[in-house]
Amino acid sequence: MRYTLILLVFSALLSCKEEKAGETLYFAHSLPQSHPVHKGALKFKEVLAQKSGGKLTVKIFPDAQLGSEREVLELLQIGSLAITKVSAATLSNFVPEYEVLGVPYLFRNKEHQNAVLDGEIGKSILEKGSKFWLRGLCYYDAGSRSFYTKTKPVRKPEDLKGLKIRVMNNQMAINMVNALGGSATPMAYGELYTAIQQGVVDGAENNPPSFVSSNHYEVSKYYTIDEHSAVPDVVLIGTKFWDKLSEQERKWVEEAAIESAEAQKEYWQASVEESMAKAIEAGVEIIIPDKSLFADKSKSVLEEFQRTHPELAELVRQIKAK
């Protein structure tokens, strides 16, 4: 019902502005207005207005107003929405190459990740979505995911044994937690606070801003910074909208996206520092483990991925060799 209503609303909007197609870009995402992603979207709006002299404007819909990440991707595909930001994990259900970015310990560090994503490899992955009507514009920083637990600290992989860890409904994430010895439990994010509080699960894994903004730090007093994955966010434009733009308009959009990505990285880092300080102040124990133990234990996930996805194995090799 919600999805149908969204389509009706956008159909009406677009039909009313048919003679002005391309002037307003509707940008939807699922995060709150305090989040670094929303601040990045505001920067995109500002820069695009400046570069286009007001010819291209942006209307932002935060807080999942227009649906889940999957729903807004579908809106892009049919041309009812121009732009969105989604996790590469969600996007991998539409564009296979993005699944590579979820491989545990794929990136050596933040510098390596930036070199890959901002270079030719990253650009080639962004372009892969065009055949699925989802053209990538840039990557937003989503940090690194680490484990947090309620009653038992995790200092080495063996400590995960017997713990039910909430993960996204993503096969890579499920395989990773299971390989490390935990019991992967897919669950909707909105249900997680209560699930931890009531002991339905023993913990979860996410980045610091999400750990704090979700208030999960209130019910999870151990945060292990193992940084097992660094799945980026992706800003995309639907090709049905992109194809309506002139070459000059496309240039403005691309330049605005890149500038917003640079600004978003700064917003993200500031949010990480603020979130960690808040968690520590609330009594959360921050654990810095030997990450090599977790990396070694999770190697089977990469081996299984390369075996079942031989067409993507070369892409993994290129990234690791960068």
Side-chain angles (χ1 to χ4, degrees), residues 175 300-313 316:
N175 292 346
S300 61
V301 179
L302 172 58
E303 293 168 357
E304 175 67 10
F305 179 75
Q306 292 175 312
R307 186 185 67 79
T308 56
H309 298 76
E311 73 283 3
L312 298 176
V316 174

Side-chain angles (χ1 to χ4, degrees), residues 48-114:
L48 185 58
Q50 291 173 348
K51 289 184 176 293
S52 69
K55 293 180 181 178
L56 292 178
T57 60
V58 177
K59 184 171 177 59
I60 304 170
F61 297 85
D63 296 305
Q65 292 176 30
L66 301 183
S68 66
E69 288 194 337
R70 185 178 186 91
E71 288 171 333
V72 294
L73 284 172
E74 292 171 352
L75 287 173
L76 255 69
Q77 288 181 315
I78 64 175
S80 294
L81 183 66
I83 296 179
T84 191
K85 186 292 308 174
V86 300
S87 168
T90 302
L91 194 51
S92 67
N93 295 311
F94 294 75
V95 185
E97 284 77 9
Y98 284 101
E99 190 171 2
V100 170
L101 302 180
V103 170
Y105 297 102
L106 176 69
F107 303 111
R108 294 186 293 277
N109 48 43
K110 180 60 72 175
E111 291 71 28
H112 178 219
Q113 182 184 28
N114 288 338

Side-chain angles (χ1 to χ4, degrees), residues 165-177:
I165 302 296
R166 179 268 175 184
V167 294
M168 296 181 290
N169 191 15
N170 172 273
Q171 196 58 52
M172 186 81 73
I174 293 170
N175 292 346
M176 178 204 63
V177 169

Side-chain angles (χ1 to χ4, degrees), residues 191-208:
E191 301 172 4
L192 183 51
Y193 184 99
T194 302
I196 296 174
Q197 188 178 45
Q198 297 179 351
V200 175
V201 295
D202 300 296
E205 46 88 51
N206 217 321
N207 54 61

